[in-house]
């Protein structure tokens, strides 16, 4: 976390920072939108499910919980699949799973069947798309990576603002079964995004260098050596504490407004405000994180974003009217967008490209446990006290604590730590690659003259020399 790792491609390929990378960014934008917004958008169908199956709201809420649990909890499985088969095949299979789960769910006759289809199968499909898309984004962008992460993260609020109204329209026109079927068809677009994830081609090597390349050690399916990196351990601990309270305010803010006596439509508009601010906060934060002076200190910017978010929760607990909740949603949207834009950027900077596929899987698994604990525990606290103020205070304390853990842990434990050998090797390879690319035509000319002179000096070994440009290369 103290020193940023050089992000070369898996085979020493330099990140193009553009070109086809923009197509990869577009695919990542769509995948991120589906992955984060879909579990929330499905909630518009809950009332019809309650009416048809004769169940309670808590029973239907398990659909969203299972979707999120699969998205986070299957991180290591996704890492193994990506390291074994590559990003594109995994994403294509994931797109089919996501679509198939919703299509089959439209024919279900019990809530348990919906848990298995719309929850488990669709959740697994989204997970198999989300993680590989981030890995490919990391491989295609280096200098512009903070901006790329900010733009791709903006897919979450954009899709949330689009899918929720769309779900209401589908429910009104076709019922929950027709809505599930159409959403399943829409999820096939994940396969299109997977097809965009073209692997980077390594540079062509001569016959002399082919043999050593073939003897290369096989990549581990799940690299647990990331836990030897103190920066990764601190990041994982901080992120796990953060998600305990990060998702609580958006879940309860609408109920908070209703409890104050405001209409349902007016209360729901608070989420629209939050999402609209979030759309602009993420790419702007990505641009700021990419600035020359800010990027080496990106971890502290991330800590500030979490501190800002926690402080906003604490201030929001004092809201007593609709105007106060609107102000809370504006500032929460800014801080929430900053956290969303920076969380994976900081992880990429800590572990580098080579270990990112394993690191993100392990981090998501740790966060999955916290995601399952956070909102339910906040709900129990609300049932016990009957006051939303305590829910927001606890959430604020948890997020603020995570900010302090990350900032202080980085400052005192990581800053003075010497670089690990693998980091030095990657930096050396990167420097050598840059030198070879920056070589001027004059340098190439000097090299060709030296070769020609060498051949002339040893005619008995090399035979006659024909001095033309082709033989001098």
């Amino acid at each position: 976390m103290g020193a940023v790792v050089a992000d070369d491609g898996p085979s020493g390929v330099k990140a193009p920072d553009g070109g086809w990378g923009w197509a990869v960014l577009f695919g990542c934008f769509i995948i991120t939108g589906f992955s984060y917004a879909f579990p929330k958008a499905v909630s518009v169908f809950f009332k019809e499910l309650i009416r048809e199956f004769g169940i309670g709201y808590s029973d239907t809420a398990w659909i969203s919980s299972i979707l999120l649990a699969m998205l986070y909890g299957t991180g290591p499985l996704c890492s193994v699949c990506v390291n074994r088969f590559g990003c594109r095949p995994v994403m294509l299979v994931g797109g089919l799973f996501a679509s198939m789960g919703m299509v089959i769910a439209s024919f279900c006759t019990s809530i348990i069947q919906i848990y298995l289809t719309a929850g488990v199968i669709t959740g697994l499909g989204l997970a198999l798309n989300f993680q590989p898309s981030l890995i490919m984004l990391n491989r295609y962008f280096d200098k512009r990576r903070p901006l790329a992460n900010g733009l791709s993260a903006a897919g979450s609020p954009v899709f949330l603002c689009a899918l929720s109204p769309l779900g209401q329209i589908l429910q009104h026109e076709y019922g929950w079964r027709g809505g599930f079927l159409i959403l399943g068809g829409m999820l096939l677009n994940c396969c299109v995004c997977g097809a965009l994830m073209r692997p980077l081609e390594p540079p062509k090597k001569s016959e002399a260098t082919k043999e050593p390349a073939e003897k290369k050690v096989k990549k581990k399916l799940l690299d647990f050596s990331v836990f030897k990196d103190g920066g990764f351990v601190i990041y994982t601990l901080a992120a796990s504490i953060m998600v305990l309270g990060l998702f609580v305010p958006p879940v309860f803010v609408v109920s908070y407004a209703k409890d104050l006596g405001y209409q349902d439509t007016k209360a729901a508009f608070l989420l629209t405000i939050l999402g609209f601010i979030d759309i602009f906060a993420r790419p702007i934060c990505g641009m700021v994180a990419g600035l020359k002076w800010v990027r080496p200190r990106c971890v502290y910017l991330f800590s500030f974003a979490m501190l800002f978010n926690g402080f906003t929760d604490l201030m929001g607990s004092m809201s007593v009217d609709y105007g106060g909740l609107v102000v809370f949603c504006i500032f929460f949207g800014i801080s929430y967008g900053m956290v969303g834009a920076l969380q994976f950027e900081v992880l990429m900077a800590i572990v580098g490209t080579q270990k990112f596929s394993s690191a993100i899987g392990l981090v998501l698994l740790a966060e999955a446990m916290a995601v399952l604990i956070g909102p339910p525990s906040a709900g129990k606290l609300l049932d016990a006290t009957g006051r939303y103020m305590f829910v927001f205070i606890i959430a604020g304390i948890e997020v603020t604590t995570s900010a302090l853990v990350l900032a202080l842990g980085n400052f005192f434990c990581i800053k003075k730590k010497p670089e690990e050998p693998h980091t030095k090797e990657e930096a050396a390879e990167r420097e050598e690659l840059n030198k070879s690319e920056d070589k001027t035509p004059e340098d190439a000319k000097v090299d060709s003259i030296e070769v020609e002179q060498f051949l002339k000096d040893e005619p008995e070994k090399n035979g006659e020399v024909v001095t033309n440009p082709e033989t001098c290369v």
Side-chain angles (χ1 to χ4, degrees):
M1 204 180 308
V4 177
V5 179
D7 281 326
D8 294 330
S11 302
V13 184
K14 188 178 179 182
D17 274 310
W20 190 256
W22 298 117
V24 173
L25 174 58
F26 176 72
C28 194
F29 174 87
I30 294 176
I31 295 297
T32 303
F34 273 127
S35 299
Y36 278 116
F38 202 79
K40 301 169 188 174
V42 171
S43 63
V44 302
F45 298 97
F46 284 177
K47 285 187 178 180
E48 278 206 20
L49 293 175
I50 291 170
R51 191 182 303 116
E52 176 154 344
F53 296 118
I55 54 178
Y57 184 83
S58 59
D59 296 319
T60 56
W62 272 103
I63 300 172
S64 296
S65 297
I66 293 172
L67 276 168
L68 286 172
M70 293 300 295
L71 181 64
Y72 283 88
T74 56
L77 173 63
C78 296
S79 296
V80 170
C81 292
V82 167
N83 290 334
R84 176 66 180 85
F85 302 106
C87 292
R88 181 187 274 176
V90 172
M91 291 183 69
L92 291 172
V93 172
L96 291 175
F97 269 62
S99 176
M100 182 175 65
M102 292 302 294
V103 171
I104 296 175
S106 66
F107 298 97
C108 290
T109 56
S110 71
I111 193 65
I112 299 297
Q113 293 174 356
I114 292 180
Y115 290 160
L116 295 175
T117 54
V120 175
I121 299 177
T122 298
L124 177 61
L126 291 174
L128 291 174
N129 275 274
F130 177 61
Q131 192 171 318
S133 68
L134 289 177
I135 294 170
M136 289 302 297
L137 190 70
N138 183 36
R139 292 177 182 173
Y140 267 89
F141 287 91
D142 180 14
K143 292 180 181 178
R144 296 177 178 174
R145 193 182 64 204
L147 175 61
N149 272 304
L151 290 172
S152 67
S156 174
V158 170
F159 270 60
L160 183 59
C161 292
L163 285 179
S164 293
L166 176 63
Q168 292 175 347
I169 294 172
L170 293 177
Q171 177 184 305
H172 183 265
E173 296 292 332
Y174 306 104
W176 72 269
R177 294 185 185 276
F180 274 26
L181 190 63
I182 293 172
L183 288 176
M186 290 179 62
L187 284 172
L188 282 174
N189 286 293
C190 292
C191 295
V192 179
C193 296
L196 294 174
M197 305 296 164
R198 187 171 65 193
L200 287 168
E201 294 293 333
K204 293 182 180 180
K205 298 181 180 180
S206 60
E207 295 292 331
T209 59
K210 279 183 181 178
E211 291 182 5
E214 290 173 358
K215 295 179 182 178
K216 204 171 183 180
V217 180
K218 287 185 178 180
K219 191 174 183 180
K220 295 178 182 178
L221 293 180
L222 193 60
D223 193 352
F224 289 98
S225 66
V226 290
F227 285 107
K228 295 179 181 178
D229 186 344
F232 173 77
V233 174
I234 291 172
Y235 175 91
T236 305
L237 177 61
S240 299
I241 298 172
M242 176 187 71
V243 297
L244 280 172
L246 184 65
F247 302 117
V248 170
V251 172
F252 288 96
V253 68
V254 174
S255 300
Y256 194 176
K258 291 179 182 178
D259 195 54
L260 291 175
Y262 296 99
Q263 297 177 355
D264 291 359
T265 53
K266 201 171 183 181
F269 186 67
L270 291 171
L271 284 181
T272 305
I273 296 172
L274 194 156
F276 182 76
I277 299 296
D278 193 5
I279 290 172
F280 296 97
R282 296 193 184 215
I284 291 174
C285 184
M287 292 173 64
V288 172
L291 296 176
K292 190 175 182 180
W293 184 84
V294 177
R295 191 171 184 187
R297 302 165 180 84
C298 199
V299 64
Y300 296 109
L301 180 61
F302 185 41
S303 300
F304 170 75
M306 291 192 291
L307 187 65
F308 184 18
N309 186 270
F311 183 74
T312 303
D313 292 343
L314 295 174
M315 293 297 101
S317 66
M318 302 178 187
S319 300
V320 293
D321 55 14
Y322 190 78
L325 290 177
V326 168
V327 173
F328 163 75
C329 286
I330 291 173
F331 283 97
F332 186 87
I334 296 171
S335 59
Y336 189 73
M338 291 175 67
V339 171
L342 293 171
Q343 58 178 340
F344 296 116
E345 166 60 26
V346 172
L347 180 60
M348 291 173 185
I350 293 170
V351 299
T353 301
Q354 302 297 328
K355 295 186 177 182
F356 181 70
S357 59
S358 296
I360 188 175
L362 295 170
V363 167
L364 289 176
L365 178 61
E367 289 182 352
M369 302 174 187
V371 165
L372 290 176
I373 295 172
S377 60
K380 286 187 177 180
L381 178 63
L382 180 61
D383 292 336
T385 62
R387 300 187 66 183
Y388 288 90
M389 179 181 73
F390 296 116
V391 173
F392 279 66
I393 289 175
I394 294 297
I397 291 174
E398 289 167 344
V399 179
T400 302
T401 302
S402 68
L404 296 176
V405 168
L406 184 63
L408 297 178
N410 178 73
F411 185 79
F412 290 108
C413 303
I414 308 299
K415 192 175 182 181
K416 297 180 181 179
K417 183 181 176 181
E419 287 184 308
E420 293 183 5
H422 78 274
T423 305
K424 291 183 177 179
E425 290 172 7
E426 288 182 358
E429 289 176 8
R430 180 181 177 79
E431 186 177 351
E432 186 178 347
L433 184 64
N434 290 336
K435 284 182 180 179
S436 63
E437 289 187 353
D438 295 339
K439 187 176 283 187
T440 60
E442 288 77 8
D443 293 335
K445 186 176 180 182
V446 171
D447 290 345
S448 64
I449 293 172
E450 289 177 357
V451 173
E452 184 178 346
Q453 186 62 39
F454 173 77
L455 293 173
K456 284 182 177 179
D457 291 341
E458 299 187 2
E460 67 279 0
K461 292 183 182 178
N462 300 299
E464 274 191 350
V465 177
V466 181
T467 55
N468 61 63
E470 294 180 2
T471 58
C472 294
V473 175

